[in-house]
Amino acid sequence: MITCVVRYTIDPKKIAAFERFGRRWMELVQAHGGTHHGYFLPAEGASDEALALFSFPSLAAYEEYRGLFGRDPEFIAADRIRDESGCVLRYERTFMRPLLPGDLAPDGGAPEDTSPADTSPRPTTDTP
């Protein structure tokens, strides 16, 4: 599974437009094989930051979804909400791998490390 985290800088005066934009993208992610975990908007105080998190089963599945950008009429219309309203000032995408509560080992601890072994050469301490 791969999770996309999108950090937005938004126009705080245009929250309603950003919510319209977010609702539409939640529908599109769900319709194209992803799981949208929601948008997280400013709640208290002055803030211009918002987050979105959504997951796809694999990077390949995400790339298939991403291939529809700029081509699929629904994707174009969803982006038009952002572009015409000016609710998003900028954004950046990061991809992460989730560690979820169900990922714990049966004994409640961390599962065994399944990362590949480090096979880089090590200096020897033998002297000739």
Side-chain angles (χ1 to χ4, degrees):
M1 176 187 298
I2 188 161
T3 298
C4 184
V5 178
V6 186
R7 181 178 307 275
Y8 295 93
T9 302
I10 61 173
D11 183 336
K13 297 176 194 145
K14 299 178 180 178
I15 294 281
F18 186 77
E19 288 179 1
R20 257 192 339 273
F21 168 75
R23 281 190 200 94
R24 188 62 189 122
W25 278 110
M26 285 189 278
E27 293 170 354
L28 289 170
V29 166
Q30 294 292 132
H32 292 277
T35 300
H36 209 294
H37 308 292
Y39 282 80
F40 299 85
L41 309 174
E44 290 190 35
S47 179
D48 62 355
E49 185 176 336
L51 297 171
L53 287 89
F54 56 93
S55 299
F56 278 86
S58 66
L59 183 57
Y62 170 80
E63 291 296 336
E64 186 176 318
Y65 153 84
R66 188 79 179 133
L68 297 171
F69 279 70
R71 294 187 0 209
D72 184 283
E74 289 184 299
F75 283 51
I76 293 167
D79 275 345
R80 193 173 299 126
I81 297 168
R82 177 198 62 217
D83 297 343
E84 291 178 358
S85 71
C87 63
V88 174
L89 304 176
R90 72 184 149 277
Y91 65 93
E92 63 183 50
R93 250 187 313 269
T94 303
F95 295 94
M96 300 186 144
R97 175 185 54 86
L99 176 64
L100 303 170
D103 296 339
L104 294 175
D107 64 2
E112 287 185 34
D113 183 9
T114 57
S115 60
D118 181 6
T119 58
S120 57
R122 301 269 188 239
T124 60
T125 57
D126 296 338
T127 55

